[in-house]
Amino acid sequence: MFQNIGELVLLFWRTLLALPLAWRQRQKIYEQLHEIGNASLLMVCMLGFFIGAVIALQTGPVLVERGLHSYVGGMVGYSIARELAPVMMGVLIAGRIGSAMTAEIGSMRVYQEIDALRTMNIHPVHFLVMPRVVAISVALPMLVAFAILVGWLGGATIAATNQHIQVSAKAFFQDLRNVVELADVIHGVVKSFCFAVIIGLVACHQGLVTRGGPRGIGRSVTKSVVNSIVLIVVFDYLITRVLQK
Amino acid sequence: MSAPSTNHHRGVGVEVRGLRKSFGKQEVLKGVEFSVSPGEVFVLMGPSGSGKSVLLRHIIGLEPPDAGDILIANKSIQEPGVFDEHHLAMVFQSGALLNSMTVGENVGLYLAEHRLKPPEEINRIVSEKLAAVGLAGVEDKLPAELSGGMKKRAAIARALVSEPALILYDEPTSELDPVSAVVVGEEIARLNQSSGVTSIVVSHDRDLAFGIADRIAVILEGKILAIGSPAEIRRIEEPAIQDFLNAKFSRPKSS
């Protein structure tokens, strides 16, 4: 475990050092961005909408029952922006994109493609890791910002149509505006940026240390997703503490 | 081939001194020593698991030795800048072409990544190198669309792009049918003659070894048992070597 942490920190440092090469590798970054967007946008929409819907469904009747109609929008908007959208999208991207990254790099490792790169004096961190970490760090905050908006829409839809809530969309968004500030959205987006770096690094690291054949790739993919999710939850707490008003 | 090529003299000499390597408790290389002259085709022959590929990975710097040293043109590979001064290339057993890139992109990868030539020039060199190994016109294909023999030849083309002084071949004819194996073997010999590049070939293919080698080293259980010309190796009466050289499949007799 400690060896893994040490290797991750080292990979983070090497990726930072490789950042000046980002412009040179822009084509690869663009390809990764395209792949992440294509693979995730629909799922982000669905997940975002239903997270908003379920939060409205869970909290709305309770608040309405106690005469707190005007808090439904704020409650849903605040929890989605600061917590649910970044964490849930982080988990989604760890499963959808992080696993694919690990599988691809792991397969390159097993089939000696990474050794071939080394013999050509091409550093795997410059060629494989940095473009992926940059792409996911750009893509995830954008997806989270989008998921927040879709989540609010889902909450508003349920608040307006559910017979136990019956808060109009106008009232929902009015309350949301009163409670949720731009800083709350930025809080969520900053969190998602940190999660993206974690997912990218963990996924690439697990790929690079893959050993054995197809079974080794499978093990690495599982580790990548599990470790990413654990780190997302741990860092969620730490970042929340740091960014708390 | 009886004598090292003297054309161009692009090749470098290689010296391996007392190389030792263990993985866990298993000692894979037990003090390996040999030297290869510039422009020579040197074949390391031995059964599977004898440490041939591990030795090759040490020469190109993919594995650090536990003890011993490797000298390229009389300089230790542990000295900084040796690999910049003398380009080394390796053709992997599987070819190790990057599956997500076209054959052309694979072959031109070294030049493109290091920005050594403009894109048009890279395209020209790629076509030239692919044509040199008999693969003209496959630039836009993906590695998955090539046969095993074509992949190996594409990997040789990729190795040639950096104009290396030393090419290491890891089992270049494994998984190939006899005709493709002959084509790849002839390609290795032809490249050596035309450019004078030093070639170290790891193989358990006896036909390839005796067909292209200037000298052969027989390696068994991490130790070099014998080094000599193909004719000298054939004359050695050491049972382990004779067993390897004369191993034949014999069908069990029915009673």
Side-chain angles (χ1 to χ4, degrees), chain A residues 9-197:
Chain A
V9 172
L10 199 63
L11 186 63
F12 178 55
W13 177 243
R14 286 181 177 156
T15 307
L16 281 181
L17 292 179
L19 278 181
L21 298 170
W23 179 247
R24 245 176 90 166
Q25 301 284 13
R26 63 188 179 281
Q27 185 60 33
K28 281 192 203 77
I29 294 172
Y30 175 75
E31 282 165 14
Q32 289 292 324
L33 267 172
H34 192 255
E35 209 168 306
I36 295 169
N38 260 353
S40 321
L41 199 58
L42 185 63
M43 276 194 237
V44 165
C45 278
M46 282 179 65
L47 200 61
F49 186 88
F50 282 102
I51 287 171
V54 81
I55 295 299
L57 198 60
Q58 290 276 16
T59 59
V62 179
L63 291 172
V64 168
E65 205 177 280
R66 286 156 179 77
L68 301 169
H69 298 75
S70 59
Y71 287 94
V72 176
M75 176 82 184
V76 172
Y78 189 79
S79 52
I80 287 179
R82 288 183 74 97
E83 192 59 38
L84 288 166
V87 172
M88 293 306 287
M89 296 310 137
V91 170
L92 172 74
I93 295 297
R96 183 71 185 82
I97 303 298
S99 59
M101 282 183 182
T102 305
E104 188 184 1
I105 297 177
S107 146
M108 290 180 76
R109 163 88 189 169
V110 167
Y111 297 109
Q112 295 183 308
E113 293 176 28
I114 291 178
D115 286 340
L117 288 175
R118 287 201 171 107
T119 63
M120 288 185 274
N121 210 10
I122 297 170
H123 202 297
V125 172
H126 300 176
F127 190 77
L128 298 172
V129 179
M130 185 273 288
R132 282 168 173 77
V133 173
V134 169
I136 200 169
S137 305
V138 172
L140 186 54
M142 286 164 71
L143 289 172
V144 164
F146 187 66
I148 290 171
L149 294 175
V150 176
W152 288 348
L153 198 66
T157 306
I158 295 303
T161 56
N162 187 280
Q163 57 174 345
H164 300 296
I165 307 171
Q166 290 190 334
V167 173
S168 70
K170 192 180 172 189
F172 180 93
F173 281 110
Q174 182 61 48
D175 176 40
L176 192 147
R177 262 204 304 272
N178 291 339
V179 175
V180 182
E181 295 170 6
L182 181 63
D184 297 316
V185 176
I186 292 172
H187 178 111
V189 171
V190 168
K191 258 188 188 177
S192 68
F193 173 79
C194 301
F195 297 162
V197 174

Side-chain angles (χ1 to χ4, degrees), chain B residues 7-249:
Chain B
N7 294 350
H8 306 304
H9 284 295
R10 195 169 86 191
V12 286
V14 180
E15 198 177 338
V16 177
R17 290 179 179 167
L19 201 69
R20 288 184 177 276
K21 181 71 177 183
S22 298
F23 293 106
K25 287 178 182 169
Q26 193 190 0
E27 194 176 18
V28 180
L29 299 177
K30 301 169 181 172
V32 172
E33 293 205 353
F34 62 86
S35 60
V36 182
S37 307
E40 189 175 20
V41 178
F42 187 83
V43 177
L44 273 158
M45 195 170 60
S48 301
S50 55
K52 308 182 297 290
S53 298
V54 176
L55 178 54
L56 222 53
R57 290 172 64 82
H58 279 79
I59 295 173
I60 202 151
L62 288 174
E63 297 278 353
D66 293 341
D69 201 0
I70 294 160
L71 281 72
I72 306 284
N74 298 320
K75 276 189 186 169
S76 167
I77 60 167
Q78 285 161 40
E79 284 179 34
V82 173
F83 291 122
D84 296 330
E85 200 178 328
H86 304 287
H87 287 148
L88 272 56
M90 183 158 167
V91 177
F92 288 84
Q93 189 169 349
S94 60
L97 298 173
L98 274 67
N99 281 316
S100 56
M101 301 171 91
T102 64
V103 174
E105 286 168 340
N106 264 285
V107 175
L109 186 60
Y110 174 83
L111 298 176
E113 275 302 301
H114 296 290
R115 298 200 160 188
L116 298 173
K117 306 271 182 197
E120 307 77 40
E121 180 73 356
I122 293 175
N123 290 340
R124 190 191 61 73
I125 294 170
V126 166
S127 300
E128 187 186 297
K129 298 298 178 193
L130 282 171
V133 295
L135 285 180
V138 302
E139 288 87 337
D140 296 328
K141 286 187 188 279
L142 288 168
E145 297 173 88
L146 302 184
S147 68
M150 289 164 90
K151 277 183 196 169
K152 292 262 165 84
R153 282 187 281 153
I156 293 173
R158 184 174 68 180
L160 290 176
V161 158
S162 63
E163 307 219 322
L166 168 65
I167 305 185
L168 309 171
Y169 298 89
D170 189 5
E171 302 282 8
T173 57
S174 68
E175 300 164 27
L176 296 186
D177 62 84
V179 177
S180 301
V182 168
V183 171
V184 170
E186 285 175 351
E187 202 61 57
I188 294 169
R190 194 184 60 73
L191 288 171
N192 171 261
Q193 282 190 322
S194 62
S195 65
V197 62
T198 308
S199 305
I200 300 181
V201 184
V202 148
S203 181
H204 52 231
D205 180 339
R206 291 167 294 189
D207 292 338
L208 174 79
F210 286 97
I212 67 169
D214 294 318
R215 283 191 307 145
I216 295 172
V218 181
I219 185 169
L220 197 67
E221 292 176 356
K223 284 182 192 163
I224 300 281
L225 288 190
I227 299 178
S229 67
E232 287 167 340
I233 293 293
R234 278 191 205 279
R235 283 199 297 270
I236 293 173
E237 288 178 2
E238 164 81 34
I241 295 175
Q242 285 304 319
D243 285 351
F244 178 71
L245 294 182
N246 299 317
K248 276 185 191 161
F249 180 79

